[in-house]
Amino acid sequence: MDQHFPPAADRPEHQGGDLVRRHALATRLWHWTNALALLVMLMSGLMILNAHPRLYWGHYGSEHDHAWLVLAALEDTAFPGWMTIPSNYSLADARLWHFAFAWVLVLAFTGYLLWGLLRGHIRRRLHITRAEWNPRHILHDFVAHVRLQFPTGTAALDYNVLQKLAYGGVLFVLLPTMILTGLAMSPALDAAWPWMVDLFGGRQSARSIHFIAASGLVLFFAVHMVMVVLAGPVNEVRSILTGWYRLPREKGGAA
Amino acid sequence: MILTRRKALQVGAAGAGGLLLSGCDALNDSAPFKDGLAGVGRLHELTQRAIIGDSLAREFTEIDMSPVFKANGSLRVADPAYRALLAGGFGQWALRVDGLVHRPLALPLTALRAMPQRTQITRHDCVEGWSAIGKWQGPQLGAIIAQAGLMPGARYVVFHCADQLEGKPFYESIDLVEAFHPQTILAWRMNDAPLTEPHGAPIRLRVERQLGYKQAKYIMRIELRESLAGLYGGRGGFWEDNRGYQWWAGI
């Protein structure tokens, strides 16, 4: 018995091949709401970045100052139309989309976080035990992942430490960072809550961190897609749509 | 088999992407959808105003200032009357204050300089994303409006400017809450020197809790109005009328 993936006491006996409930309704609703909101935020955000595709550290920064990242010359377009909302240049329209879907993102995120924390769901699924924090354990899981050795049977129902780190990182690091750095770019909110922009070291730093955290979410999405495909896309997509997941069979079983 | 499946996936992905994009563009071109988005934008104004109250924008010190303060929007005014005023050092210029006021005013630069002054080093945030920190000096807008005397019904302050963009006169507007905010000034001095033409000589608005496109330059006339309807495009400013930027520029 792998002590890192103890089966829950009340979990009925299941074996590979059984259909089991995997994702709570709240998780599924939030997953798809968040996916839609993040896609719109990313594409409209790239259009906003097209207006000034240079990033700075500190409180100020313009074309006269040193940029740590220049995505394109000011007269060029950094992100082509197929990546942006709308596809033709419009900073004003991109801002309308970005700020409207920011409400969707923030309300859905807050709702899911409160539900997950109050119901103990996040603690049950994402809490990383001391044993799991052990670098050797993390390395072991990492090597298993790279070798595409995924857990089978009921062990597949629990997230491994890499999954916990990825999902926990999105939930507790990347999304809160996106939201706070977004708010810190508002001159009105900076007047009301100066601590927020100070937290990031200035408005241009907040803008840079907004971009870095967005890149982190894109990276998460890319790995997420690869893992879904490798783990069995039909089963994974069914489970996040309907909640039902077919437990992977043991190697060499009646597969 | 693998090739055809890969091909099918590629076609599928391209098709889905294309559908998504054309779908977003179709939504973007639909007036009801756009109105919906703008309606949510209005929610930002209400929320932000409830949060910010009468808070002050951060004021910086001289060591925090941008070495070069970027000039944006109109950089030169073509109007011959303006050019004559500029050539004369604005000695013949006077700021008109009219509309819903008891005492319409014509304030020369000397009068504006003689009023109590406010000096503030603040961050200017362009809607495009860049920021610059500069030092501004001038009388508070609230004091000028008080001097003219508000008539009942006055709700908006409109700034009529000397410059034109795309052949249209430039104007901007704020409401009385922002107009009487202590940091809302008519700056005639920037970084310890009289305002230059690219930065809006003889005076420009500083309304520090909003984005750069609200900071009207080359102000010739201030008009107190009950409503923004019926004035040019009716949305309260050149950028609002012609580019679709939101009138509330706190975000």
Side-chain angles (χ1 to χ4, degrees):
Chain A
M1 170 63 61
D2 185 345
Q3 59 165 331
H4 303 310
F5 305 111
D10 56 349
R11 185 176 288 165
E13 284 303 317
H14 281 302
Q15 52 185 4
D18 287 355
L19 266 182
V20 296
R21 297 289 288 177
R22 174 120 199 237
H23 295 300
L25 179 64
T27 302
R28 287 178 276 141
L29 279 175
W30 177 68
H31 174 273
W32 291 108
T33 311
N34 191 52
L36 173 74
L38 279 181
L39 183 67
V40 172
M41 295 302 278
L42 176 69
M43 294 176 74
S44 55
L46 293 179
M47 170 58 82
I48 294 172
L49 191 51
N50 267 344
H52 190 84
R54 294 163 58 91
L55 293 168
Y56 313 91
W57 294 119
H59 291 283
Y60 66 79
S62 77
E63 68 205 59
H64 301 292
D65 303 302
H66 171 73
W68 69 269
L69 185 62
V70 177
L71 292 155
L74 285 178
E75 61 277 10
D76 293 336
T77 303
F79 301 101
W82 64 266
M83 282 188 178
T84 62
I85 294 176
S87 54
N88 290 317
Y89 183 84
S90 172
L91 175 57
D93 288 355
R95 283 165 51 82
L96 284 181
W97 282 81
H98 203 72
F99 298 153
F101 278 83
W103 284 103
V104 178
L105 181 90
V106 169
L107 292 179
F109 172 75
T110 311
Y112 182 65
L113 203 63
L114 283 178
W115 173 87
L117 291 173
L118 293 178
R119 294 284 301 268
H121 185 78
I122 288 173
R123 181 175 46 76
R124 279 196 303 275
R125 302 303 299 269
L126 294 184
H127 176 70
I128 301 179
T129 62
R130 270 179 71 176
E132 285 178 320
W133 276 118
N134 185 325
R136 284 179 58 190
H137 177 88
I138 296 179
L139 185 69
H140 171 267
D141 269 11
F142 182 77
V143 170
H145 255 71
V146 171
R147 289 181 177 164
L148 305 182
Q149 294 166 345
F150 298 125
T152 55
T154 49
L157 282 179
D158 291 313
Y159 292 139
N160 61 61
V161 67
L162 296 180
Q163 284 175 299
K164 288 179 179 178
L165 282 171
Y167 297 143
V170 167
L171 212 49
F172 294 107
V173 180
L174 291 180
L175 288 178
T177 302
M178 289 308 297
I179 294 166
L180 285 179
T181 51
L183 293 173
M185 281 188 269
S186 149
L189 291 183
D190 284 355
W193 300 329
W195 56 266
M196 200 164 53
V197 67
D198 283 345
L199 195 65
F200 301 106
R203 181 177 190 254
Q204 290 302 318
S205 294
R207 186 168 172 263
S208 290
I209 296 168
H210 200 67
F211 175 81
I212 292 168
S215 308
L217 285 171
V218 171
L219 181 68
F220 167 81
F221 174 74
V223 174
H224 188 50
M225 287 302 99
V226 169
M227 297 316 294
V228 164
V229 168
L230 292 177
V234 173
N235 197 23
E236 295 291 331
V237 171
R238 175 180 48 218
S239 75
I240 197 64
L241 278 173
T242 68
W244 291 98
Y245 177 75
R246 191 177 296 283
L247 290 178
R249 296 175 196 276
E250 303 290 337
K251 284 250 166 60
Chain B
M1 177 64 192
I2 290 172
L3 269 179
T4 51
R5 183 183 291 177
R6 180 181 296 169
K7 183 113 183 158
L9 276 176
Q10 282 173 349
V11 170
L19 268 180
L20 178 76
L21 265 185
S22 55
C24 288
D25 280 343
L27 283 174
N28 195 55
D29 292 336
S30 121
F33 184 79
K34 206 71 163 285
D35 288 348
L37 288 183
V40 181
R42 171 96 182 125
L43 200 57
H44 284 107
E45 177 186 346
L46 297 174
T47 316
Q48 291 204 330
R49 298 206 118 155
I51 291 170
I52 65 178
D54 52 6
S55 62
L56 296 178
R58 156 83 53 86
E59 294 192 16
F60 295 85
T61 59
E62 293 196 348
I63 53 166
D64 302 316
M65 285 166 53
S66 298
V68 180
F69 195 108
K70 179 180 169 168
N72 209 29
S74 299
L75 303 180
R76 188 177 185 280
V77 181
D79 176 33
Y82 176 88
R83 302 231 60 85
L85 289 169
L86 176 73
F90 295 101
Q92 303 300 308
W93 173 86
L95 172 70
R96 283 187 290 145
V97 183
D98 57 23
L100 293 175
V101 294
H102 290 296
R103 296 169 294 277
L105 304 173
L107 297 168
L109 212 43
T110 49
L112 293 176
R113 290 178 188 181
M115 291 178 71
Q117 302 285 297
R118 196 176 201 288
T119 304
Q120 57 206 30
I121 300 174
T122 52
R123 197 189 66 213
H124 175 103
D125 299 324
C126 180
V127 66
E128 294 168 343
W130 53 269
S131 305
I133 296 177
K135 186 180 190 179
W136 307 96
Q137 182 191 319
Q140 289 174 317
L141 177 62
I144 294 170
I145 296 174
Q147 198 178 324
L150 275 179
M151 288 192 4
R155 283 194 58 205
Y156 294 96
V157 186
V158 176
F159 305 90
H160 296 276
C161 305
D163 57 325
Q164 293 206 340
L165 282 171
E166 299 162 9
K168 295 171 184 162
F170 192 91
Y171 79 107
E172 253 305 336
S173 62
I174 58 177
D175 66 8
L176 291 182
V177 176
E178 292 299 293
F180 279 91
H181 185 269
Q183 287 172 318
T184 301
I185 63 173
L186 294 180
W188 59 272
R189 212 166 149 80
M190 172 193 179
N191 294 354
D192 297 318
L195 216 52
T196 58
E197 185 180 3
H199 287 291
I203 54 168
R204 85 176 297 177
L205 176 67
R206 294 303 309 171
V207 49
E208 301 291 0
R209 301 187 298 183
Q210 300 203 42
L211 293 175
Y213 65 85
K214 300 298 283 190
Q215 327 287 334
K217 307 196 279 191
Y218 319 109
I219 299 171
M220 298 289 120
R221 174 180 162 227
I222 292 177
E223 181 192 8
L224 275 293
R225 291 177 68 98
E226 184 172 2
S227 155
L228 299 172
L231 181 67
Y232 301 110
R235 291 169 184 249
F238 173 86
W239 296 110
E240 290 88 332
D241 286 344
N242 297 290
R243 286 289 187 285
Y245 289 140
Q246 297 291 289
W247 177 80
W248 172 255
I251 180 167

